[in-house]
Amino acid sequence: MAFRSARIGVLCVLVTAVGACGLLPRSGPTRNEIFAGSVQREGDAFVVEVNQRVTAATAVVPALGFPPELVNAGLSDSDIIRPGDRISFTIYENVTDGLLAGQGASAAQIEEVQVDSAGFIFIPYAGRIRAAGNTPEALRGVITRNLDEQTPDPQIIVRRVAGDGSTVTVTGVVGGQGVYPIERPTRTLSSMLAAAGGVTVPPEIAQVTVVRGHHRGTIWFQDLFRDPSVDIALRGGDRILVEEDGRSFTALGATGAQTIVPFESQVISAIEAIASVGGLNPLLADPTGVFVLRNEPQEIARAVLGRDDLIGAQRMVYVLDLTAPTGMFEARDFVIRDADTVYVTAAPITQWNNAISALTGTLGAAQTVGSAAGN
């Protein structure tokens, strides 16, 4: 009996020695090792336990929006003719042998005359006429007066096709990329995106960027329907880019999967981040050792730590204990940000089991070799 107890004691010592020497394979540092690397213990990262105050100080969501130069622009008059537009005319003459219609015809068709870069067009017998800046109705009046001197009582129909002077470019994850004219139904951002086939990624993670000259801004696609003020009026030459949210975080340790995870919504909490990779591994994870690692901007780091002597970004390690009375609530409210690392440590019993398995496997192999040698 004493011999057996001695063997068990020796085994425990060996297991402890093997584990302490770090000879066993593992997915990362233990909970104690992370705490040992804190600034408080002369390490290089601040280790902070998450509570309501910390959650409030770190709940930063990307601020998106359009500058005033884009928001305050009123709706453009889509009927105004601009350089690059194309204009078609039907001219009816009140004579049997018309000046433009010809013998036996009552009307002449002039198809798609392009407005030149100076804003002018040329109509036979009416001459060179300034079209840019006029509406089709105003242009009809000018041509009517000019032709009235050549043919009696001309009746003119003017049709405008928007050209390069009043178009926008739509690219990115939309149904149909291309150059689209600004017409009466497509004078706003939401209507233009609808004309381009809408977004082809989940609306929750779609971002819309508008570039106009030296001004640009980005919004969430869903904000177009939450806040009418961001459904801005478009101008000729605008460039619209629709992109999928590029933020992601990394999940490591005793989780269901170790991978880089793209954001699937505008805001992701720690509990959602863990759930998105299959939750905690029930055979490995230590629920008291859920860590979020990030480089925190100076202002936030100062607010979290209550210090005003910190300069520059700080390495922060946030600790979540899911077994605490409010642990699940803290994890639900703590916001994950772009480039975060979510790391779950292995439970101490896991390391113990691994040590026992490694040691007993080694002893078993040695015994087998010894038996073979004895034979």
Side-chain angles (χ1 to χ4, degrees):
M1 185 68 178
F3 178 71
R4 181 179 180 185
S5 299
R7 290 182 61 187
I8 293 175
V10 171
L11 179 62
C12 291
V13 171
L14 290 174
V15 167
T16 303
V18 170
C21 292
L23 299 177
L24 298 175
R26 51 183 177 159
S27 60
T30 65
R31 187 178 192 276
N32 290 337
E33 287 171 340
I34 292 177
F35 275 95
S38 67
V39 171
Q40 296 89 324
R41 300 184 184 181
E42 300 183 356
D44 63 352
F46 291 97
V47 179
V48 179
E49 294 188 6
V50 175
N51 54 34
Q52 290 184 352
R53 183 187 63 81
V54 171
T55 295
T58 57
V60 178
V61 178
L64 302 182
F66 290 135
E69 291 80 4
L70 299 184
V71 173
N72 297 332
L75 288 173
S76 62
D77 189 344
S78 59
D79 292 334
I80 296 296
I81 298 171
R82 296 174 175 81
D85 289 356
R86 299 186 303 278
I87 307 172
S88 297
F89 304 91
T90 301
I91 302 174
Y92 294 89
E93 298 184 64
N94 194 22
V95 292
T96 55
D97 187 10
L99 182 67
L100 296 171
Q103 183 69 35
S106 61
Q109 299 286 342
I110 301 178
E111 297 294 340
E112 295 196 2
V113 178
Q114 187 166 22
V115 182
D116 65 23
S117 59
F120 288 85
I121 60 172
F122 177 79
I123 300 295
Y125 300 104
R128 191 166 184 259
I129 300 171
R130 181 168 186 81
N134 288 317
T135 65
E137 177 61 22
L139 181 60
R140 185 188 70 81
V142 173
I143 298 174
T144 298
R145 288 191 296 272
N146 287 9
L147 286 180
D148 195 40
E149 301 175 0
Q150 309 291 331
T151 185
D153 193 24
Q155 304 295 309
I156 303 173
I157 297 175
V158 179
R159 297 178 300 278
R160 167 182 170 267
V161 177
D164 298 339
S166 56
T167 59
V168 301
T169 303
V170 184
T171 58
V173 287
V174 293
Q177 302 184 73
V179 178
Y180 291 86
I182 301 176
E183 300 175 314
R184 187 167 293 274
T186 57
R187 292 186 294 174
T188 63
L189 179 57
S190 63
S191 59
M192 184 61 73
L193 290 175
V199 300
T200 57
V201 296
E204 300 83 11
I205 56 173
Q207 296 180 349
V208 182
T209 299
V210 176
V211 180
R212 180 179 301 164
H214 298 294
H215 304 294
R216 65 182 296 149
T218 301
I219 62 167
W220 295 104
F221 173 75
Q222 288 188 324
D223 286 346
L224 285 171
F225 307 96
R226 296 170 179 162
D227 182 4
S229 68
V230 300
D231 192 12
I232 59 174
L234 299 178
R235 292 288 185 271
D238 282 355
R239 289 173 290 161
I240 302 171
L241 172 64
V242 182
E243 298 177 290
E244 183 176 352
D245 183 8
R247 295 176 299 161
S248 65
F249 68 91
T250 302
L252 295 175
T255 58
Q258 301 187 54
T259 184
I260 296 175
V261 185
F263 278 44
E264 295 182 352
S265 61
Q266 296 179 22
V267 180
I268 297 179
S269 68
I271 204 73
E272 290 171 330
I274 295 171
S276 68
V277 291
L280 302 182
N281 187 320
L283 300 178
L284 301 175
D286 178 6
T288 70
V290 177
F291 296 90
V292 178
L293 293 74
R294 72 167 62 126
N295 290 336
E296 201 70 273
Q298 173 181 300
E299 296 76 11
I300 298 178
R302 287 183 172 186
V304 169
L305 298 171
R307 297 173 52 172
D308 58 5
D309 60 335
L310 301 175
I311 305 299
Q314 303 293 320
R315 289 183 175 180
M316 305 288 285
V317 179
Y318 295 103
V319 187
L320 289 159
D321 180 356
L322 301 187
T323 66
T326 62
M328 296 294 285
F329 289 100
E330 304 296 353
R332 182 199 64 183
D333 298 335
F334 187 80
V335 175
I336 298 299
R337 300 214 301 270
D338 185 30
D340 278 357
T341 297
V342 178
Y343 173 67
V344 179
T345 59
I349 190 63
T350 301
Q351 192 73 3
W352 173 263
N353 290 338
N354 290 342
I356 291 177
S357 298
L359 187 58
T360 55
T362 301
L363 293 176
Q367 184 177 5
T368 301
V369 172
S371 298
N375 293 334

